[in-house]
Amino acid sequence: MSDVTHAVAHLAEHVPGVPVMLLASMAALAVTAGFRTRWTRRHGHAPPTDDTGSRPPSAPAAGSGAGAGSGAGIGAGIGNDTAATTASDGRADDGGEGVDSALWRMRTTVRDAPGSLAALCAALAERRVDILSLQTHPLAEGTVDEFLLRAPGELTATELVEVVSAAGGADTWTERADAHDLVDAPTRVLALAARTAQDAAELPLALRQLLGRCTIRSLPAAAGGRPGGEVPPEGSLEDTVLRLRAPEGGVITVERPYLPFTPAEFARARALVELDARLGPRLPRGRDVLTLAEGSDITVRRADTRDVPAAKAMHERCSARTLGMRYHGPVGDADRYLNHLLSPRFGRTLAAQTASGRIVGLGHLLWDGDETEVALLVEDAWQHRGIGGELLGRLVAMAAETDCASVYAVTQASNTGMVAAMRGLGLPLDYQIEEGTLVITARLDSASRAAARLPQGQRIGRD
């Protein structure tokens, strides 16, 4: 059985209901693939005028005005988003010889000539550097080779670059790797395609895991001086910038100033976006029927922009005080935030609904650069029944699944319900006052998650 056939069978098992031809294109993509800053600003909840605010750690975005917590960014600290090290001190056992070693990712450009790669490999072998994997990215002139290396622990990044340069490598880039990088590229890309097929909210995360540390912006159809119509249907590649047509219109822009994109990376990113566009709006179908502490049953499910009318109806039933606590701005503007907040491009949303189908609570997990924001709104008549705590616990569990290091909530000190919900997580909390606004940050390291109380409600059924 061919690699593509294996991949199609795997996808058919894990992504039911997707047409076979589409599964085949996803499989071909995978098989042919060669691969916090602390919260210092308050955002408005209105949709961003130019970008999502997602920035790599070395270039945090500037503040964007009054209001608290927009969740404007769509990138999260996940996968290869930061220069990761192996467990504990970044070193790994070298296979029993008693000498520490370290994993490195390295990319270098070599001449497209017989013997060029062999000379580089020989130079690495001379320094006892083991090549665990190699991918090639052909260019018009030369070839970009990407390595996963296991090197002696005493070998520094500078020394590694010197070895490569002496062997003919140019424009060499290195960063520490970890165990996640040991997964072969076809398997990793196939997993990203499967996740994207199941959930539209996975596209930004998949792009970050595919391309590493980068800035992702979602631009409306005519924004930022570059209308969507100026980007060709197949997208464009300009050295360190990728531009792709967004499935819902507009443009997805990906920037990686520290490392130019290769045509192969551009093709993989374009294939993921095309997959998302072909599948259309979609959410995981699962929903839980839960019994709250006071005995009422509610259903918790994922929500998206198709739930905007029901969310607006909930706004109309909420008091001005409740809306003011949530949005920290003019209450009359609350409705216009919903398209942004419910968009899978900016995060994930959970809805709590009654047996009649009326939404009485919304919880948002919003990608904000290298941090992740959580936000809650519960209708007045349904407050103090545990709905907020239930939604919050599930949102934090989602954040932990995407390897977020922390989550934060922006609220007012008088919002005792939100403060109690954050405390109820059982996670280590940090409190800060920013211009009269309370910012509560919860750490999501593995030890903290093990001791946490997530989620809180009792499941009594599942659709």
Side-chain angles (χ1 to χ4, degrees), residues 35 80 135 180 183-193 209-210:
F35 345 83
N80 295 326
Q135 299 179 57
H180 294 91
V183 178
D184 67 281
T187 299
R188 185 156 60 94
V189 176
L190 182 62
L192 294 177
Q209 288 197 335
L210 178 68

Side-chain angles (χ1 to χ4, degrees), residues 50-52 55 74 215-219 251-255:
D50 56 350
D51 66 72
T52 66
R55 295 290 188 276
I74 64 176
T215 299
I216 301 177
R217 299 187 181 100
S218 287
L219 306 180
V251 180
I252 296 174
T253 300
V254 187
E255 298 183 42

Side-chain angles (χ1 to χ4, degrees), residues 6 60 96 176 213 218-219 222 271 293-294 297 312 382:
H6 276 296
R176 283 293 182 94
R213 188 172 67 250
S218 287
L219 306 180
E294 51 89 24
D297 291 344
K312 287 183 177 179
W382 287 83

Side-chain angles (χ1 to χ4, degrees), residues 42-56:
R42 295 189 306 169
H43 310 278
H45 276 277
T49 58
D50 56 350
D51 66 72
T52 66
S54 175
R55 295 290 188 276

Side-chain angles (χ1 to χ4, degrees), residues 116-200:
S116 297
L117 180 58
L120 177 57
C121 293
L124 291 172
E126 187 175 347
R127 294 299 301 266
R128 297 186 296 115
V129 177
D130 186 16
I131 300 174
L132 302 180
S133 70
L134 168 64
Q135 299 179 57
T136 60
H137 301 251
L139 303 177
E141 296 182 5
T143 301
V144 172
D145 292 327
E146 184 163 358
F147 297 85
L148 179 62
L149 306 172
R150 178 181 285 117
E154 69 273 10
L155 189 66
T156 66
T158 300
E159 291 172 333
L160 183 58
V161 171
E162 290 175 349
V163 170
V164 172
S165 298
D171 300 321
T172 302
W173 165 88
T174 63
E175 73 173 3
R176 283 293 182 94
D178 65 10
H180 294 91
D181 296 299
L182 294 172
V183 178
D184 67 281
T187 299
R188 185 156 60 94
V189 176
L190 182 62
L192 294 177
R195 284 172 47 185
T196 302
Q198 291 177 311
D199 188 349

Side-chain angles (χ1 to χ4, degrees), residues 261-273:
F261 294 107
T262 67
E265 288 178 312
F266 173 56
R268 298 168 193 169
R270 185 176 62 194
L272 278 178
V273 173

